[in-house]
Amino acid sequence: MNQFEKKEVIQAILIADNNVDQLRPFSDENSTALLPLVNVSMLDYALDALNRSGIEEVFVYSSLHLRSVREHIKNGIASLNSWSVNMTVHVIGGEGCRCFGDAMRDLDAKALIRGNFILLGADVVTNADLRPIFEQHKKTAKYDKGAAATLVFKEAATSSIRTGNEVMIAVDQQNNRLHHHQRLRLHGKESHFEVPLEVFLNNSEVALLHNLIDPQIAIGSPSMLSLFSDNFDFETRDDFVRGILINEEILDSRIYVSVLPRGQYARKVNNWLTYCMVSQDVMNRWAYPLVPDMGINCLAQQYVYLKNNIYKSRKSTFIKAALRENVAVQAGSQVEAGTSVSCSVIGKNCKVGKNCVLMNAFLMDGVHIGDDCKLDCCVVGFGSKIGAGSTIAEGTVVGSKCAIPAGKLLKNVVIKSVLGDDDDLVEKLGEHAFIIDDKQETQSTYASDSEDEVLPTAATGIPKVARVPTICEESDYTSSSDEDESRAVSPLVDDTNIFLAEVMDSLARGFQEKSNPDFLILEINSSRYAYNMSLKEVNFYVVKALFSLQDIKEPANQNVLVAINNVLKQLGPVLSNYIKTPDAMLQCLRALEDIYEENEFVRSKISKVVHYLYDKDFVSEDAIIAWYEQLDVEDHRALRQSLKELIEWLDQSSEEDEDDDEDESD
Amino acid sequence: MVTQEFQAIILAAGQGTRLPEVLADSPKCLLPIGPYPLIWYPLNMLQQHNFQEVIIVVLESERTEIQQTLERAPLKIKMDFVAIDSDSDFGTADSLRLIHDKIKSDFLVLSCDIVSNVSLFPLINKFRQHDAAMAALLFKSGFESDVTLPGPKTKHKPERDLIGIHPESDRLLFLASTSDFEEVMSVNAHLLRKNGKMTIFSRLVDSHIYVMKKWIIDFLLKKENFSTLKGEFLPYIIKKQMSKKSGSSVAAPDMHSEVGVNLKSENDIFHYASNSQLEQRIQKATLFNDSRVKEPYNGDLIRCYAVIAPKDSIGVRVNTTLSFFAINRKISNVWSQFFKEQEHALISSHAVINSTQTKEISVGDSAKLSEKTSLNFSVFGANCTINPKNIINKSIIMTSAIIEEGCNIENCIVGSRAVVKRGSVLKNCLIGPSYAVEEGTKKENQHLTNADGFMEIDIQ
């Protein structure tokens, strides 16, 4: 009897209402935990996963839509949902809870958690067995009293697209302690990772693990909750991790890491892209036993499982429609003739018209789609109606109960049926269809090509539903110049550098003391002979030195043109002394190329600077054009771009000149 | 003559800048380690691995001395000495460049300062198995950790390397010195993207034993700006593993006829590393693949590997005074792990030993250890004289040193030809070469030397 009482009940905390911003417009209407994924709400996946790991008590923490979550759980228990066996589920919540950290603090205050616990979001789909990790954490905690949590990670496929859940971590090989945690950028690639040197000096073996998926599953010690209470600035789990890593000693807490074995699946649904990916994975049976035909929701068989991963309800009707692969169709749905469906989910009581094409389309319950529609990479909410002949594509999300008029073409937009208070209207499509601003800078869909880093904007666009590329992209080695041939180029502490330095000194002094340009020329010439410079080099370096003067480097009022004008008023004779021949002019412009790279003020005004030199007759039109043509199209794309207008203008004016000549000769 | 699979090269032209206290005027590679000179250990290791010949690179000025010493040592291996100009500042890569015409096959490079009992076969096999460009052997550090260096107390911070290895394939991915970084270490993201994971070791010591492809010599010959192997060439080739062969040379692999093309490709390391047609075909046909999704080795032409010596093996680089002291102190203890069958004696048969109280000592040729002495855990160099009534503990008495009567010496290095006069008590002291310690001296933690010329560099 005594033994029986001492038996430890493993507790788990499920945080609902995550990612409220990223799953719009659905998140405006209901808890994201209840969002159906392959016709089963996400909360059920998470509960099922916990049940399979042998958890006996679960606290579902919800704040925004507490009532609907409570109702869902109540219904689930009433209908003998598979997770309700041997597991008690409590729904708790607090009004003032605004973030993950608040939830943790509230839980700490309520003192419901007695020992180590499992913590995960309601948006996690996993088939991982968490018990061994839990046991491991207990062992660690016995050894290290400051073990606050064990984070669970999963290795990602070699080159999957970024969804915002990928991290790079540094872990001690010997005791699995976390030393560095860095979320990978959603857009664009990092060029370097920076890890404190200390980490390596203090630990003899540190593994850097890149591209791990963070499903936000953790095993927490009781101290984890109190740490949240003590540090009220911890808002998210990442804050917690960062805070602990920075203040390890002050907080006397440490975080450990566990990586799931290869066969186990874990993924978090935090935006529409992951929604799409996880749906596909579930249909592809990666998350087995969490697959549609296993009856996650209720104990009854809902689908007939056919080849090519087609899950078809017996109560659905198909009239000469083609189901290609990875399709789940719920009871009561009807698909008309000539329609082809692939990689899609169709909810309860949907109607899909004739000759439609559905690809990567996710239809929730009661959706009606007219004839001849084309749906590609989109989500359509409960009870929405889409008029005939519409095309909905590129990550469009249609909220519940929308009515989209016939023949619309919608790409990458968010549509709601009723305009909320804080929605920014973009366009009204109909009585029950408003395109709203999804509160992010418009960026092309993620699939298009995120590798293309032409515009390194700091956009934090949320990934949309997109086709998941199957081809692995080769990581390209963009080696920076300093490491590629660093050994090959010996440091330039040679004569040319000394010469340049001397010329710069001469010019700077000359400019300041307003000395006679002839003296300066004399000085430069003597330097020239001292360092045995060719005339070409002299031309090049004089221009370079001239533009490297302090006044031009840091022009007053940021106005570089005024600064150049001032300098050349004084030192113009020096420049014209050297830059005489067409060759020299070319050298002069080449030097300008260097300056262009170094000086941002010159960069922004390059065409004006060249124009100025042309105006003052330092360089000729021919030289400019010859120089422009020599510029490499690839390497100097930006420079060419900025010079384009000037060149066109020069071309025109020369033609006019010719015209004038002709006129005169007539 | 049959070409061997591997040639062996020992680089022994080092100046020993990190152990000036014990060096005196003798070459670094002749420092006594137990009963034998330092260079004997790598030579013996090669001999044990059935190498028949070895090329030894030495300084011109030290050549005769080294040659003479080695002729007396028990070695069967055929030695080919190559001398480099003593004045020139030759790096390790420069040394290799010098002997390029002697190298006909893939080769093994060793530094002369390795004292180790590790087997080289795992290293060589790794190299063979993956057709690698280069493979390096790494030791666990910490051999010296329990030894106090005699002399004034200094905060000794050894230079440490950060070595990144792919845990599944043993590919050597990253090599840098901790002093290259200040607060943060920066890793190229490409490296991680491509390999997924990398384990960074901070307490491994590069043994300076490398197996290399023949073409590396050809490449070094062209690229004169590489002066050292470890410092310059290795980081370069390790980085180069990850980069792709430039597109043009892939398209036209055999364009040697045109002078222009040829010139350009000679600057490219891939020109040297490129696969022959046969190798390419073999690689296509093989079932071996070390990567789950891509072609074998990710299609990398250059591959560097690292082999970590087993934990229980001994590997020390004798390049600091501390490591020199440590290996000597422990040599008699670990001798049986080096030579199982007592083939090499710790105590020279030409030594005169009258002492009855000895424990774990090694004694060089013609050393004279008198009666009524207690000598423990110490090394006695050739021709040294220990008079009666001495207690010597945990110390090194170098060649031709004399200890007069009634001394107590603990944890000291007594330099060659030094004299410790009657009744001295020395603890944790460094006695420089030829220094005479006056009668009745009592010193602790001192560096006693004639040469004022040593620059005291306090490395914090």
Side-chain angles (χ1 to χ4, degrees), chain B residues 64-327:
Chain B
T64 19
E65 198 182 345
I66 295 170
Q67 224 163 338
Q68 280 167 2
T69 315
L70 285 178
E71 272 160 20
R72 275 182 272 134
L75 285 168
K76 278 174 247 140
I77 196 165
K78 195 181 144 208
M79 289 173 269
D80 179 5
F81 287 90
V82 178
I84 57 174
D85 194 5
S86 308
D87 298 331
S88 61
D89 192 16
F90 254 46
T92 41
D94 297 319
S95 301
L96 284 183
R97 205 171 287 133
L98 187 78
I99 53 166
H100 70 95
D101 51 342
K102 288 181 183 278
I103 296 174
K104 307 277 189 288
S105 63
D106 298 345
F107 57 95
L108 200 68
V109 197
L110 292 88
S111 170
C112 70
D113 54 12
I114 298 149
V115 180
S116 174
N117 66 347
V118 78
S119 164
L120 296 181
F121 293 125
L123 175 74
I124 291 172
N125 284 341
K126 194 95 204 169
F127 178 82
R128 286 172 175 153
Q129 188 185 353
H130 298 288
D131 192 24
M134 195 276 302
L137 183 68
L138 307 172
F139 292 144
K140 289 251 188 301
S141 68
F143 185 81
E144 303 95 343
S145 55
D146 54 343
V147 174
T148 358
L149 182 67
K153 279 192 180 129
T154 51
K155 266 191 188 168
H156 178 65
K157 250 193 194 167
E159 178 80 340
R160 275 158 69 180
D161 290 327
L162 295 178
I163 300 170
I165 297 174
H166 189 249
E168 280 145 33
S169 65
D170 286 340
R171 281 278 289 272
L172 184 55
L173 300 177
F174 183 82
L175 178 67
S177 167
T178 48
S179 55
D180 293 350
F181 306 105
E182 279 180 11
E183 295 277 303
V184 289
M185 191 195 81
S186 125
V187 188
N188 193 311
H190 170 81
L191 202 63
L192 283 177
R193 271 202 297 276
K194 195 165 164 184
N195 296 290
K197 48 184 134 176
M198 171 162 86
T199 308
I200 297 212
F201 295 87
S202 60
R203 277 171 230 241
L204 287 181
V205 182
D206 177 13
S207 69
H208 232 290
I209 301 179
Y210 310 122
V211 197
M212 292 181 169
K213 272 265 155 57
K214 158 114 184 22
W215 62 258
I216 286 183
I217 289 272
D218 302 331
F219 176 73
L220 284 177
L221 203 59
K222 266 279 157 339
K223 294 272 188 173
E224 302 232 328
N225 44 351
F226 291 110
S227 165
T228 61
L229 275 182
K230 169 78 192 301
E232 293 171 16
F233 179 67
L234 287 192
Y236 174 80
I237 192 173
I238 287 169
K239 260 175 204 157
K240 272 291 174 188
Q241 292 184 89
M242 297 302 139
S243 57
K244 282 270 163 277
K245 201 171 170 177
S246 54
S248 60
S249 48
V250 173
D254 286 310
M255 292 272 276
H256 299 294
S257 50
E258 281 176 57
V259 184
V261 173
N262 205 2
L263 257 180
K264 211 184 163 201
S265 65
E266 270 185 10
N267 282 321
D268 185 9
I269 191 164
F270 294 106
H271 167 69
Y272 297 92
S274 50
N275 275 346
S276 71
Q277 290 244 312
L278 178 68
E279 279 163 348
Q280 279 171 15
R281 279 193 195 168
I282 290 173
Q283 218 172 69
K284 256 185 208 157
T286 179
L287 288 175
F288 167 80
N289 195 341
D290 62 346
S291 129
R292 265 177 290 149
V293 279
K294 290 177 211 145
E295 52 187 319
Y297 307 113
N298 289 324
D300 293 340
L301 272 177
I302 299 174
R303 299 181 284 277
C304 300
Y305 286 86
V307 174
I308 300 173
K311 260 190 190 139
D312 51 354
S313 63
I314 296 160
V316 190
R317 284 202 65 197
V318 183
N319 55 1
T320 60
T321 310
L322 181 63
S323 55
F324 167 75
F325 187 62
I327 185 69

Side-chain angles (χ1 to χ4, degrees), chain A residues 158 190-195 197 200-206 208-210 262 475 477 483-484 487-488, chain B residues 160 178 183-190 193 196-203 225 240 243 292-293:
Chain A
T158 328
E190 294 84 356
S191 70
H192 282 86
F193 290 109
E194 296 199 327
V195 182
L197 187 60
F200 301 104
L201 293 181
N202 298 339
N203 305 286
S204 59
E205 270 178 58
V206 178
L208 298 180
L209 303 175
H210 178 259
R262 203 168 272 174
S475 166
Y477 191 30
E483 56 181 28
D484 201 19
R487 302 290 172 192
Chain B
R160 275 158 69 180
T178 48
E183 295 277 303
V184 289
M185 191 195 81
S186 125
V187 188
N188 193 311
H190 170 81
R193 271 202 297 276
K197 48 184 134 176
M198 171 162 86
T199 308
I200 297 212
F201 295 87
S202 60
R203 277 171 230 241
N225 44 351
K240 272 291 174 188
S243 57
R292 265 177 290 149
V293 279

Side-chain angles (χ1 to χ4, degrees), chain A residues 388-407:
Chain A
S390 298
T391 301
I392 298 180
E394 286 181 22
T396 297
V397 180
V398 181
S400 301
K401 301 192 181 75
C402 292
I404 292 174

